[in-house]
Each structure stands twice: as C-alpha cells, then as structure tokens.
Amino acid sequence: MTGPFLVLILLGQTLEVPLGEPFLLDYGVPPEMEPLPLEPGEGYSVLEQRRDSVLIVPLALDTLELPEMRALYGSREMLFRPPVVTVTRTMPDTTWTVPVFTSPIDMHIPAGFPTDYLLRHVFWTKWGRAPSKTWILLLFAAIVLLLVATPFWLLRRRKRDVEEVPAVRSRHLSPVDEALALLDSKAFAEGRWTEYYRDVEELLRDTAAFRFGVTNRALTWMQISSQLSGDREGRRFIEASSDLVSEIVLQRYASWGGSRDRARRFTQNLADLRKEWHAR
C-alpha cells in the first residue's frame, strides 16, 4: 500500500481518526491463518486490504461500527473484533469562543469610600461649556415686539379701511344724497362691483333699520322679508326693493358682473327707495 495514511494497530480500545483521512487498521490475525476480504459498510470505505491490514476512509462523523474479520485455519473459522473507531472533525464548529463566566462578578469597585473615586465618574465635565441662551432672549424680544406692534398695525389698518369708505355715509348728507354719492366712489370708477354693491346694501339696510327697526345686520333679506311680512308698509317696502335686493345678491355673492349704466340705474332705484322710506 502506498500514500499517506494513519496506521492503527491498537486493539481493545477506542480510537479517534480524522474525517475523510485514510487510516490503516490491523486486525491482528496470526500468520498461520488466512483472513477473508473485509467488505465496505455504512460510514466508511475500504480502499485496500493486504492480509489483515485494511486501509479505511471514514465518511461520516460517527462511531464506525467496523465488522469483525473472518479468518480460516484449515477447516476452522475464527472472528477477530476491531477496536471502536470514532471520527472527529477536521475543522472547528465556529471561530467564536464563549469565555467562561466568572462567578462572582467582579464589579471593579476600588477600595475606599465613594468620595475617594467619585470625581473620576463625573461624566458631565466632558460636555464642555453650556450652550448660549441668546436665542431665548431674541425670541422673547420678538414676542414682545409683536405684541406691541400688533395694536398699532390693527389701528392703522382700521384707519385705512375707514379712509377708503366713500363719503356717502357722512351724516351731513340727506338719505337720497348718500345714495347718489356712491356714483362718485372709487369702487364705481374702477368697476369693483362686489365692493360697490356692498355699500349699496349697507344703505338699503340703513333704511330698513330706520323705518322698520330691523337693526340686526346678520339677517338675510329672506329673513327680513319674513319679519316684515306681517306689516302692510313692510310688505310694500319688500315689494318695492325686490329688484334691488336681487341685484345685490347677484353682484355680491355670485359675482354676476355689471356695468356703469347698470349700476347707475340701480343706484337711482336705491335713491328713490330712500326718498320714500327714509325721510328724516
């Protein structure tokens, strides 16, 4: 037999061989006896046999159950039992080795009193200087400035809105002149009909409030009509102003669009209503 292999001639004990590496096993048959061939079995393979020396390759990680070798001596036959063979790994299961857990656990607490080593554990000293609080002051100043500036801004806006209202609400004008003064407003000149008819509606509501005491400006014209339906004069006023009310609804809430001639006609209608129902 040629090639590298492991020679095992020890009998009666347990042997360990590497997986996949051939080893030579000697059954110890006396020279005057003739051994019979050894057949391969599960978990091993027989490469070569010379008399009672057998070259075996382990194929499984297990204990090899090798058969007994039969040997002839004349007409007699004897059996020779092999040793127990266990197959070991050629590589470890893992490269991670778990260290043995110590008992008891070493807490690494130095000797002495806590004040002797507490300063070494003051972790906040590594944080460095505290962040600046300037942003808090700036935020506070901005809030104060906003609170101070808001009333002035609202007052100025209210003043500007008042300045933009046409002079038709001036109390030194008659009810008819107030209506006709709408034709001199900036909204009429620029064709801003939604704004223009808002002023028309305000004057018409003034007339309803003056004549019939309907002072709630949150009421719709349908609600005003229902409220005045029980009065004869109220029914006449609603009937006379129905066309103007329809135009106001179309212009303010439907953006119907109009022209100066159309606005002039309905303004004259408003003046006529105020002449009859808003006498002072």
Side-chain angles (χ1 to χ4, degrees):
M1 289 181 239
T2 60
F5 49 81
L6 179 65
V7 179
L8 299 177
I9 59 176
L10 300 176
L11 302 177
Q13 59 180 329
T14 301
L15 306 177
E16 292 185 359
V17 296
L19 176 65
E21 295 186 7
F23 67 94
L24 187 62
L25 181 61
D26 193 346
Y27 273 80
V29 178
E32 63 273 9
M33 301 188 69
E34 180 65 27
L36 298 178
L38 187 68
E39 298 295 333
E42 184 179 358
Y44 68 93
S45 177
V46 177
L47 296 182
E48 189 177 356
Q49 179 178 348
R50 288 189 180 180
R51 207 173 176 277
D52 62 340
S53 297
V54 186
L55 187 61
I56 299 174
V57 179
L59 302 177
L61 287 172
D62 200 351
T63 300
L64 296 183
E65 297 183 0
L66 299 176
E68 297 177 339
M69 179 173 285
R70 298 166 57 194
L72 301 177
Y73 182 71
S75 60
R76 292 186 302 172
E77 180 179 318
M78 295 185 64
L79 298 176
F80 291 85
R81 180 177 299 175
V84 178
V85 179
T86 59
V87 183
T88 60
R89 300 178 184 272
T90 57
M91 295 183 65
D93 289 340
T94 176
T95 58
W96 182 58
T97 303
V98 181
V100 179
F101 185 76
T102 58
S103 178
I105 300 177
D106 188 2
M107 300 299 293
H108 302 288
I109 299 177
F113 294 101
T115 54
D116 298 334
Y117 59 89
L118 181 61
L119 293 178
R120 290 184 294 174
H121 298 277
V122 183
F123 58 89
W124 54 87
T125 58
K126 298 181 180 180
W127 290 356
R129 187 176 180 181
S132 175
K133 300 297 188 299
T134 306
W135 68 272
I136 299 180
L137 299 178
L138 294 177
L139 179 61
F140 180 75
I143 294 175
V144 172
L145 182 61
L146 181 62
L147 293 177
V148 173
T150 299
F152 291 97
W153 177 76
L154 294 175
L155 181 62
R156 184 174 180 180
R157 182 176 179 180
R158 182 178 180 183
K159 183 178 180 181
R160 183 182 62 186
D161 294 341
V162 171
E163 291 176 352
E164 291 182 355
V165 175
V168 298
R169 309 302 298 275
S170 177
R171 292 306 176 185
H172 67 275
L173 296 177
S174 66
V176 176
D177 292 337
E178 283 183 345
L180 296 177
L182 290 174
L183 301 175
D184 298 329
S185 65
K186 191 175 181 180
F188 178 83
E190 296 180 357
R192 301 197 303 266
W193 304 123
T194 301
E195 180 180 343
Y196 183 79
Y197 281 92
R198 180 193 64 190
D199 297 331
V200 172
E201 183 179 12
E202 286 295 320
L203 292 181
L204 185 60
R205 285 179 179 269
D206 285 347
T207 300
F210 176 82
R211 185 60 181 266
F212 302 101
V214 183
T215 58
N216 187 357
R217 298 301 176 103
L219 296 177
T220 64
W221 283 106
M222 184 176 294
Q223 292 172 328
I224 295 175
S225 176
S226 177
Q227 185 173 337
L228 298 181
S229 62
D231 181 69
R232 179 172 174 273
E233 293 295 315
R235 289 195 300 270
R236 288 184 56 239
F237 173 77
I238 291 299
E239 182 179 355
S241 61
S242 60
D243 292 342
L244 180 58
V245 170
S246 298
E247 183 68 13
I248 290 172
V249 173
L250 289 175
Q251 296 294 341
R252 291 203 62 190
Y253 306 107
S255 299
W256 186 261
S259 63
R260 290 183 178 83
D261 291 339
R262 185 184 183 93
R264 191 177 288 110
R265 185 172 71 254
F266 281 102
T267 303
Q268 184 61 48
N269 187 5
L270 174 65
D272 294 341
L273 289 172
R274 288 173 69 83
K275 181 179 179 180
E276 181 178 358
W277 303 95
H278 204 136
R280 295 182 180 177

